[in-house]
Amino acid sequence: MTSADSTSAIMTHDKVEYATFYVGELLLGVDINQIQEINRQLNLTRVSHAPNYVRGVINLRGDVVTVVDLRAILQLPIVDISHENRNVIIKSGDEHIGLLIDRIADVVVYKQDEIEPSPANVGSVDGAFFKGVCKLESELLILLDTEKVFDMDASAAASSSVGMD
Amino acid sequence: MPSENDELLDAFVTEANENLVDVENDFLLIEEAGANIDQDLVNKVFRGIHSMKGTSGFLGLKSIGKLAHEMENVLNLVRNRELVPSPKVVDVLLRGADTLRNMVNDIESSNDVDVSSHVRELEAVVSGETTPEVQESMNREIDVELSNGDLIFMMISEQALISRQRQGGSIYIIIADLVADVQSKDQTPLQFLRKVYDAGELIDSYVSTAGLGDLDDDLPGALDFMMLVSSTNSREELAAKLDVPQDKIHHIASPKQTDWADQGQPREPSADTADVPVPASTQKEATTPTPEAATPKSPAPAKTPSKSTKPPAHASAAQASLRVNVKVLDTLMNLAGELVLSRNQLMQTVEKWNDNGLKSVSTRIDQVTSELQEAIMQTRMQTIGTVFNKFLRIVRDLSKTLEKQCDLEIEGKDVELDKTIIEAIGDPLTHLIRNSVDHGVELPGIRVERGKSPSGKIRLSAFHQSGKVNIVISDDGAGIDASKLKKKAVEKGIITEEEAEDMSEREAVRLIFHPGFSMAEKVSDVSGRGVGMDVVRTNIEKLGGTVEINTELGVGTTITVKLPLTLAIIPSLVVRCGEGRYAIPQVNIRELVRINASKVASKIERVKDAEVLRLRGSLLPLARLSAVMAVQSKYLDPMSRKLEPNERENIVDRREGAESPDSAAAELRTGNDQRGDTAAGALNIIVLEADHLRYGLIVDGLNDSEEIVVKPLGRHMKECQCLAGATILGDGQVALILDVTGIASHIHLAKSDADANVGEETADTEVSEETQAVLLFTNEPNEQFSLPMSLITRIERIRSDQIDSVGGLGVLQYRGSSLPLLSLEDHIKAKPRPDQDRLNVVVFNISGKEVGLIAPQLIDISEIITHVDTVTFREPGVSGSVVVDGKVTRLIDIYELTEKAHPEWFANRPTFETPEGETTRILLAEDSGFFRTQVTKYLETDGYEVVGCEDGLIAWNTLQDPEQRFDMVVTDVEMPNMDGLELTRKIKNDPCLSYLPVIAVTSLAREEDIQRGYEAGVDDYQVKIDREKLLAAVTKHLKAYQLKAGLDRAPVSTGGKSS
């Protein structure tokens, strides 16, 4: 359903590896090929006047990297940084961007045909940032559309206009 | 033309070489693929050769053009599958490419190369390896003409046209005016050609020289560049893409009706020709039976060696430089920045260890890092010639349009600047050059009238000076009329009439940088182009540079642009606010002001909603960084060394609070508060300037000055106007770089606010008590001293190991010379300074020599009220004492101190010699006891007799006393009962006294004050209190007075000398 080109990994390979992690109660997954690294570099410098979902910037081996708080994107309450928090560094366009997550989980492998289109929302969370779901025995793995997350402002505008229909 | 073309030629050579390197490999790949033609690959080679052909035609490189043209024909056939690229074919192509390379590397003599053998070879390949139909159409040449019958192109290979049409392209003739369509749109012909290549295929082109006269003539208004182009774009699209008027693009439905209809059309049904191209099976038959192709091969080898004997020199020159992807350089640059940061960390860590081995290694690393960084910076450097060269043409065309005569002289083309700066400086410089031609240089007739040569001279030069690149644009034109500018500024409401009157000529000239002040729109439309000088200034300042303007009416104007060598690393001040640290570029910082807790109430005012600072008589708008950044302001608790929230966000709350706990805490602050952190209550204000706006930024603390590496912020932070980027500090933490202009607009600080201050200034100064700005420092931490700010040349921070001892005197080696140093404890009763690694040296200029006073620990800059105790601590070198923030502070008399240390410096100072042993008597009017004593002392040391008066009225009465005779009056300006100006007026209006020279000595140093002083009739105006200058002025005016007295007047004074 969502942008086919950004999911080229899914199209070309039959099986895709996902790194999974928790944000609040949600189990989220990102194609492992998109991830540069996962680290605990959370020595954040707050940036005034930045959008509310930007938690701050970090020094990633000499580059200044924006850290986006997934909780803010998914409209969950913001919490203090704990020892379980991780930074998932993703290459997006010319820059690296960090996703602040609550807790890291496993790497899982899925076939393309096991992925279902994402519902309009999952619980109270807007489905605009998801590109599909996989059903596990006990819970639902939500595949995150990172480009939509990073393009937050545009996506928000788009999804609200869709909502009007 | 040649000099201008050099740049184009260079670009062509580089580009052609780049193409040819790939071409060789690609030919081999094409050969390998054989009949299984890789369309993309062939297209790529085709484009490479094709663009060489197009550009060489433009540059008049006939031989290269001819050879490239023939090669292109062959490639076109291959592309259309009409010719199989057999080894034989590729052989010929490769030899052609070799010759092309040789010609390109010896571009000057390329036209002497005979390419006819290659041409024959290539033609033979075509005739030997293709079907007769193709050959026939190859050889058939037709003329292309416009619908109105104008013959534009002759003898174009019909095949070239047909094959393009078959690919769906339409044929156009485009007549572009190199002046109007290319040059004046700020593109080089090469850039224009690239656009053409992007939009379609250039079949043939030439520059119409019909309208050209001699080279010495001015260029004609139009220089037509004729192009025969095939493109899949429509006429409208082409016009848009090339930025050429549509009426200059002609669609050629059928080139030369008759030829085309008769021969071209029948074959048009593509089926028959499209079948000819060779499926793999027919390939061998096609290649083998062609003996003709082999025969012409022989002359070529003989040709190549004869030509290849020349190029070696060029070849080696080409190898000396290497084209590197800019991305690689950027990465290198980043890594170098990283290395610098890591080096800084290493050095900090190593400091703590006391290991000599480690130290020497780290010193070496330190050095190598610096050199490496410098070398990498070097890779990004480009010569400014690339920017300068285009100005020749601009000046030429523009002066033609304006019917002026201008010569442009260019100097310093080799000066190098960072790539980013080179790219950004073109537009502002173009504007300045246009201005020089348009507004600077006069019409020839007027120039002759004014006794100048009819042709104006514009000089453009670049040179290095003190770590910056200066670009100077000067003309010998009319200059700028400051009074006209003022008038216009008043008309436009930029300044008021009174302001205009007070404005110095220099200030007035700077008005042209004011936004909304464009001289151009009135005078002509040439320079205007919707850009004013303010944009020029803003753009240059964005690059961290400055613009200065110097002009003399009727003589000319000189504009100096100073640019940093690079943008990537900038010196900056790191400040603290809340828990964050921020970097402020040094270029924006004018000064640092610290206001003690006890002074906050009197110094900071609230005007409507804004806080303002009284700074030397003017009001400075203030902003709090904590408010701008929306963070909690914090102060460093002196006891716990922890950051504590600053409860009082509002300064005005402190008004009554001078005695409150805040100031009690301030008392605890000691001299070793090195980080300059704000103790509770005191304020650190950074005075910033950007875009004419000056404002103070209140920060919680000052850290170090650092060279920072600028890193961009991610795309999510593009909206943060207060931030210019980020950097990584020595400890690895990210600090944000403040955008000084952005903050100004964030807090809605408009220019008008700053203007409003001017009016308030006068009222302000009149109520203020007489104070003196002093620098507070300690020698031994418990003994505080002060020095008058007005005498300080600068302050240097040094390492204690930089001090040498020469013959018992301290000397600082720096900047290639040595600076004599004074230590307080050597000359006055002071405790010795403790050992410490870093020291401050306050530098003065005394009797034309520089001398440094060691001030180990700087405390503050403060305004002290001059109620000075001149008894208790008085000794040579100490003029008295005051209490500052509850501390006894001794005032250092730097002259006495220096004289004590170096009496020989003062031995032969010129003084006024009183004739015949008479005493020269000076009347001194000064209400401040401290200054009275001080000035009296100065004057008495030079042998004058001084009579001190406490105010102007007393002074006036003393002058009226017939028993008294004076040779000079030295007066303060601000005094009770009668001020110095009134006194001066009375003296100058009194026929018996008007001969007396009057010197005003005051702390009012603004130009308006000085102006008022001179209007009142003072002979000299001195700012408190520079002994050297005062004494020099006294001597000068006494001499003048003596001369005058000797000429027209015997001494009138009846009183004679009174004792």
Side-chain angles (χ1 to χ4, degrees):
Chain A
M1 49 136 278
T2 54
S3 51
D5 42 28
S6 71
T7 61
S8 58
I10 296 175
M11 308 306 284
T12 49
H13 302 288
D14 217 21
K15 286 182 175 174
V16 182
E17 281 184 289
Y18 292 97
T20 66
F21 46 81
Y22 285 97
V23 174
E25 298 290 299
L26 297 176
L27 178 63
L28 299 169
V30 171
D31 180 352
I32 211 156
N33 291 316
Q34 287 187 299
I35 297 176
Q36 184 195 296
E37 66 181 276
I38 298 174
N39 64 28
R40 296 186 58 184
Q41 168 53 284
L42 290 166
N43 191 2
L44 287 157
T45 299
R46 205 180 76 92
V47 181
S48 311
H49 309 298
N52 73 320
Y53 54 84
V54 172
R55 185 79 182 225
V57 290
I58 55 161
N59 166 15
L60 184 69
R61 290 184 299 281
D63 277 330
V64 175
V65 167
T66 311
V67 176
V68 168
D69 192 342
L70 266 184
R71 281 182 161 266
I73 300 271
L74 303 174
Q75 304 193 326
L76 300 172
I78 304 296
V79 292
D80 287 342
I81 305 273
S82 80
H83 69 280
E84 285 196 312
N85 280 114
R86 291 291 186 282
N87 220 338
V88 179
I89 308 290
I90 289 171
K91 172 107 182 161
S92 165
D94 291 342
E95 59 174 319
H96 288 101
I97 301 182
L99 278 180
L100 183 66
I101 57 150
D102 286 1
R103 184 155 53 91
I104 195 81
D106 290 331
V107 173
V108 293
V109 181
Y110 280 100
K111 283 206 199 104
Q112 175 62 36
D113 54 18
E114 290 174 285
I115 297 166
E116 297 171 23
S118 70
N121 64 314
V122 178
S124 60
V125 177
D126 189 344
F129 303 109
F130 306 147
K131 57 182 174 193
V133 293
C134 300
K135 288 202 176 93
L136 280 69
E137 302 90 70
S138 56
E139 52 193 334
L140 202 61
L141 171 66
I142 301 164
L143 305 181
L144 198 64
D145 190 334
T146 51
E147 280 314 303
K148 288 220 168 141
V149 169
F150 296 147
D151 213 6
M152 168 71 184
D153 295 319
S155 314
S159 73
S160 71
S161 71
V162 167
M164 296 299 284
D165 292 346
Chain B
M1 202 98 169
S3 69
E4 188 193 349
N5 265 351
D6 282 350
E7 202 64 42
L8 292 178
L9 265 185
D10 282 350
F12 171 72
V13 168
T14 324
E15 199 178 271
N17 267 323
E18 219 169 57
N19 281 335
L20 286 169
V21 167
D22 291 339
V23 158
E24 184 160 323
N25 288 330
D26 294 343
F27 277 155
L28 296 174
L29 285 173
I30 291 170
E31 184 183 13
E32 210 173 277
N36 195 7
I37 288 163
D38 180 350
Q39 202 79 27
D40 287 345
L41 188 63
V42 180
N43 264 329
K44 183 181 156 223
V45 182
F46 180 87
R47 276 196 304 272
I49 299 292
H50 178 79
S51 81
M52 275 182 77
K53 183 189 88 172
T55 316
S56 60
F58 175 78
L59 290 168
L61 303 166
K62 290 196 195 89
S63 298
I64 292 178
K66 201 165 166 196
L67 181 52
H69 173 73
E70 288 299 332
M71 289 174 70
E72 186 196 298
N73 277 345
V74 172
L75 284 165
N76 192 31
L77 291 173
V78 172
R79 186 168 71 159
N80 295 339
R81 297 180 186 271
E82 287 167 340
L83 175 71
V84 174
S86 66
K88 215 169 287 168
V89 172
V90 172
D91 242 19
V92 175
L93 285 172
L94 278 174
R95 265 202 303 280
D98 286 346
T99 307
L100 274 181
R101 183 166 25 241
N102 288 341
M103 287 196 286
V104 165
N105 283 334
D106 189 7
I107 201 84
E108 315 286 355
S109 45
S110 73
N111 275 353
D112 305 336
V113 177
D114 181 6
V115 293
S116 57
S117 69
H118 286 284
V119 172
R120 272 198 306 277
E121 260 189 331
L122 288 159
E123 280 171 352
V125 163
V126 171
S127 59
E129 308 245 7
T130 50
T131 59
E133 290 97 315
V134 172
Q135 286 167 36
E136 199 190 330
S137 109
M138 287 290 295
N139 295 334
R140 206 162 36 236
E141 287 172 334
I142 57 169
D143 297 341
V144 183
E145 58 185 24
L146 289 179
S147 49
N148 63 8
D150 279 358
L151 193 61
I152 306 289
F153 287 96
M154 282 184 285
M155 305 211 298
I156 298 298
S157 154
E158 191 194 50
Q159 168 68 19
L161 297 181
I162 295 173
S163 66
R164 262 104 180 174
Q165 283 204 323
R166 202 178 294 138
Q167 285 164 9
S170 309
I171 309 292
Y172 297 96
I173 288 177
I174 302 174
I175 305 169
D177 182 354
L178 282 180
V179 178
D181 296 325
V182 179
Q183 188 78 40
S184 64
K185 283 169 184 161
D186 271 338
Q187 41 186 352
T188 66
L190 274 190
Q191 284 167 332
F192 182 73
L193 272 178
R194 260 179 224 125
K195 279 193 196 168
V196 176
Y197 298 150
D198 285 346
E201 268 181 32
L202 187 63
I203 299 166
D204 202 355
S205 68
Y206 65 92
V207 178
S208 160
T209 48
L212 272 177
D214 282 359
L215 274 184
D216 296 334
D217 286 353
D218 282 319
L219 278 171
L223 193 57
D224 284 335
F225 184 40
M226 322 295 241
M227 289 172 287
L228 186 60
V229 171
S230 88
S231 169
T232 49
N233 287 307
S234 72
R235 217 172 127 218
E236 288 77 6
E237 285 168 337
L238 271 183
K241 283 189 181 166
L242 304 181
D243 200 4
V244 165
Q246 254 196 57
D247 59 356
K248 291 191 173 176
I249 299 178
H250 310 274
H251 182 237
I252 306 300
S254 47
K256 196 135 198 202
Q257 223 79 37
T258 46
D259 282 352
W260 196 259
D262 292 354
Q263 288 133 15
Q265 220 69 311
R267 262 207 321 276
E268 186 80 313
S270 57
D272 48 4
T273 14
D275 283 346
V276 177
V278 242
S281 58
T282 55
Q283 179 209 350
K284 277 194 180 115
E285 296 144 49
T287 44
T288 37
T290 48
E292 308 102 297
T295 35
K297 220 192 261 176
S298 39
K303 269 237 102 68
T304 332
S306 73
K307 271 298 141 195
S308 58
T309 43
K310 246 189 172 179
H314 294 269
S316 65
Q319 276 155 18
S321 69
L322 184 68
R323 284 169 80 81
V324 180
N325 192 325
V326 176
K327 268 199 176 159
V328 176
L329 290 185
D330 287 345
T331 312
L332 267 181
M333 187 71 208
N334 282 339
L335 290 174
E338 263 328 278
L339 190 59
V340 169
L341 294 175
S342 311
R343 188 262 323 258
N344 294 350
Q345 287 167 24
L346 180 70
M347 298 304 281
Q348 278 175 17
T349 318
V350 168
E351 285 278 297
K352 290 179 196 142
W353 291 68
N354 227 344
D355 184 328
N356 279 336
L358 193 59
K359 265 194 182 148
S360 69
V361 174
S362 71
T363 311
R364 181 78 192 127
I365 286 181
D366 181 19
Q367 210 175 339
V368 172
T369 307
S370 304
E371 281 172 25
L372 182 69
Q373 191 196 3
E374 213 166 282
I376 289 172
M377 299 283 241
Q378 206 62 42
T379 62
R380 293 171 52 91
M381 295 305 224
Q382 289 184 324
T383 61
I384 198 149
T386 46
V387 180
F388 278 8
N389 282 343
K390 69 172 180 176
F391 294 138
L392 284 170
R393 183 61 176 272
I394 289 175
V395 167
R396 216 162 161 185
D397 293 354
L398 195 58
S399 40
K400 170 91 181 154
T401 318
L402 298 168
E403 291 170 348
K404 291 179 179 179
Q405 294 173 19
C406 298
D407 289 331
L408 179 64
E409 250 177 56
I410 295 182
E411 252 175 57
K413 274 190 199 179
D414 299 334
V415 169
E416 290 185 322
L417 276 168
D418 190 277
K419 196 175 138 291
T420 32
I421 298 182
I422 292 277
E423 280 162 7
I425 198 62
D427 287 347
L429 284 186
T430 309
H431 191 78
L432 292 174
I433 290 274
R434 280 176 191 278
N435 266 341
S436 287
V437 180
D438 191 5
H439 306 305
V441 174
E442 311 93 325
L443 289 165
I446 297 172
R447 288 184 64 89
V448 172
E449 268 173 38
R450 291 183 183 171
K452 298 179 185 178
S453 88
S455 147
K457 200 159 258 167
I458 297 175
R459 286 196 60 220
L460 178 61
S461 60
F463 55 91
H464 287 276
Q465 195 181 55
S466 53
K468 293 209 158 198
V469 167
N470 289 21
I471 299 173
V472 180
I473 300 153
S474 61
D475 63 61
D476 63 347
I480 299 172
D481 189 339
S483 57
K484 259 192 203 164
L485 278 178
K486 280 188 195 173
K487 215 175 123 205
K488 202 165 164 193
V490 173
E491 273 169 30
K492 293 200 167 201
I494 295 167
I495 51 169
T496 66
E497 208 128 337
E498 295 86 66
E499 278 168 351
E501 268 169 35
D502 288 346
M503 207 172 246
S504 73
E505 201 149 293
R506 223 184 142 72
E507 280 176 302
V509 170
R510 283 197 74 81
L511 279 173
I512 64 169
F513 291 121
H514 196 287
F517 194 102
S518 172
M519 291 287 278
E521 53 190 28
K522 287 276 162 67
V523 185
S524 85
D525 55 0
V526 178
S527 299
R529 304 189 125 233
V531 200
M533 287 289 275
D534 65 309
V535 178
V536 170
R537 181 183 141 139
T538 314
N539 285 342
I540 289 170
E541 283 179 353
K542 259 190 209 151
L543 296 173
T546 55
V547 211
E548 267 171 51
I549 191 160
N550 270 305
T551 184
E552 200 173 329
L553 201 57
V555 178
T557 305
T558 300
I559 295 170
T560 310
V561 177
K562 289 187 183 174
L563 294 168
L565 292 174
T566 176
L567 288 182
I569 293 187
I570 54 171
S572 64
L573 177 72
V574 179
V575 302
R576 187 182 61 75
C577 176
E579 281 168 7
R581 280 172 294 171
Y582 301 85
I584 304 176
Q586 290 279 11
V587 280
N588 296 117
I589 298 180
R590 290 296 162 267
E591 62 179 307
L592 306 179
V593 178
R594 185 185 171 89
I595 311 252
N596 282 336
S598 57
K599 294 284 168 60
V600 167
S602 60
K603 288 285 181 183
I604 308 265
E605 302 246 337
R606 186 165 268 276
V607 177
K608 281 175 273 174
D609 287 335
E611 289 167 331
V612 292
L613 166 73
R614 287 168 178 270
L615 182 65
R616 285 188 294 282
S618 66
L619 294 180
L620 184 76
L622 291 180
R624 284 174 172 272
L625 188 55
S626 55
V628 172
M629 290 294 148
V631 295
Q632 165 79 55
S633 166
K634 294 196 173 174
Y635 73 95
L636 192 66
D637 188 321
M639 306 300 276
S640 65
R641 305 301 288 176
K642 278 193 189 136
L643 291 175
E644 301 291 345
N646 217 343
E647 297 299 340
R648 294 197 177 158
E649 278 294 293
N650 191 340
I651 304 174
V652 179
D653 291 349
R654 296 207 187 116
R655 295 203 138 211
E656 309 82 39
E659 302 307 322
S660 72
D662 271 315
S663 67
E667 301 288 315
L668 288 172
R669 190 165 52 86
T670 52
N672 52 26
D673 181 11
Q674 283 203 29
R675 308 205 33 145
D677 249 285
T678 303
L683 288 177
N684 283 311
I685 298 173
I686 300 168
V687 181
L688 298 171
E689 191 177 68
D691 282 354
H692 306 263
L693 287 174
R694 202 178 258 254
Y695 64 96
L697 190 65
I698 302 173
V699 299
D700 290 351
L702 306 178
N703 292 15
D704 283 329
S705 285
E706 264 183 56
E707 300 259 301
I708 58 165
V709 180
V710 182
K711 307 266 179 183
L713 280 172
R715 60 175 189 257
H716 294 104
M717 271 92 67
K718 288 283 173 269
E719 304 291 310
C720 305
Q721 60 169 356
C722 298
L723 301 176
T727 188
I728 294 165
L729 297 176
D731 60 3
Q733 184 84 26
V734 178
L736 302 168
I737 304 170
L738 299 181
D739 184 327
V740 171
T741 317
I743 291 177
S745 67
H746 177 75
I747 58 174
H748 305 296
L749 192 66
K751 178 76 177 82
S752 57
D753 290 357
D755 284 344
N757 298 342
V758 181
E760 293 175 47
E761 273 175 28
T762 335
D764 185 21
T765 47
E766 267 156 25
V767 293
S768 71
E769 246 178 298
E770 183 144 21
T771 59
Q772 192 177 22
V774 294
L775 174 73
L776 300 175
F777 69 98
T778 58
N779 194 48
E780 196 272 341
N782 290 317
E783 290 187 339
Q784 185 158 298
F785 297 92
S786 77
L787 285 163
M789 283 300 287
S790 56
L791 299 184
I792 298 174
T793 313
R794 64 181 181 280
I795 297 174
E796 300 274 348
R797 190 150 170 83
I798 61 159
R799 293 193 312 275
S800 55
D801 59 13
Q802 282 173 284
I803 301 176
D804 290 344
S805 185
V806 178
L809 289 170
V811 167
L812 173 65
Q813 300 291 348
Y814 87 126
R815 293 185 186 170
S817 66
S818 59
L819 178 76
L821 292 179
L822 302 177
S823 294
L824 276 185
E825 61 264 35
D826 295 347
H827 305 292
I828 62 167
K829 294 179 202 130
K831 293 183 196 153
R833 65 170 185 269
D835 273 343
Q836 53 190 90
D837 286 350
R838 294 206 157 248
L839 296 169
N840 293 299
V841 170
V842 183
V843 183
F844 300 92
N845 192 320
I846 288 169
S847 295
K849 294 190 180 66
E850 285 204 328
V851 60
L853 177 67
I854 298 177
Q857 193 65 54
L858 301 183
I859 303 298
D860 199 358
I861 293 170
S862 179
E863 298 268 333
I864 57 166
I865 297 164
T866 48
H867 290 310
V868 180
D869 173 358
T870 50
V871 182
T872 319
F873 293 99
R874 174 78 182 116
E875 63 173 309
V878 176
S879 54
S881 63
V882 286
V883 176
V884 180
D885 291 346
K887 277 196 163 190
V888 172
T889 304
R890 279 183 268 176
L891 310 179
I892 300 296
D893 185 327
I894 190 67
Y895 292 106
E896 275 187 1
L897 198 69
T898 313
E899 196 161 2
K900 219 174 152 189
H902 300 281
E904 71 282 3
W905 290 9
F906 296 87
N908 51 0
R909 187 154 43 81
T911 50
F912 176 70
E913 277 175 41
T914 316
E916 301 145 31
E918 272 181 42
T919 335
T920 306
R921 300 186 81 232
I922 298 177
L923 181 124
L924 171 67
E926 167 65 78
D927 58 328
S928 151
F930 169 68
F931 281 122
R932 202 164 57 236
T933 322
Q934 203 66 10
V935 175
T936 305
K937 200 172 67 198
Y938 291 159
L939 293 173
E940 282 176 350
T941 12
D942 266 21
Y944 305 113
E945 194 183 321
V946 181
V947 175
C949 304
E950 276 123 64
D951 65 40
L953 198 61
I954 298 172
W956 177 244
N957 291 335
T958 312
L959 284 170
Q960 297 298 311
D961 183 351
E963 290 300 299
Q964 305 265 3
R965 181 196 63 87
F966 291 98
D967 300 289
M968 171 175 279
V969 174
V970 175
T971 178
D972 183 20
V973 171
E974 300 199 307
M975 289 182 293
N977 302 328
M978 184 191 292
D979 71 14
L981 298 182
E982 182 61 31
L983 176 66
T984 309
R985 272 182 223 112
K986 285 191 121 125
I987 292 170
K988 293 294 174 182
N989 289 331
D990 185 319
C992 296
L993 293 171
S994 62
Y995 65 89
L996 270 178
V998 178
I999 297 179
V1001 181
T1002 167
S1003 49
L1004 302 178
R1006 288 178 308 151
E1007 277 198 38
E1008 302 93 281
D1009 298 322
I1010 296 171
Q1011 193 58 39
R1012 278 218 303 269
Y1014 282 118
E1015 276 163 14
V1018 303
D1019 295 272
D1020 210 321
Y1021 199 95
Q1022 291 293 319
V1023 175
K1024 273 178 190 167
I1025 198 176
D1026 188 328
R1027 182 172 92 154
E1028 295 287 309
K1029 282 193 188 151
L1030 175 63
L1031 290 178
V1034 167
T1035 310
K1036 180 178 131 199
H1037 289 286
L1038 278 176
K1039 276 189 179 148
Y1041 157 63
Q1042 187 188 39
L1043 207 64
K1044 216 161 75 184
L1047 280 177
D1048 54 34
R1049 202 178 54 86
V1052 267
S1053 42
T1054 46
K1057 341 158 203 176
S1058 66
S1059 60

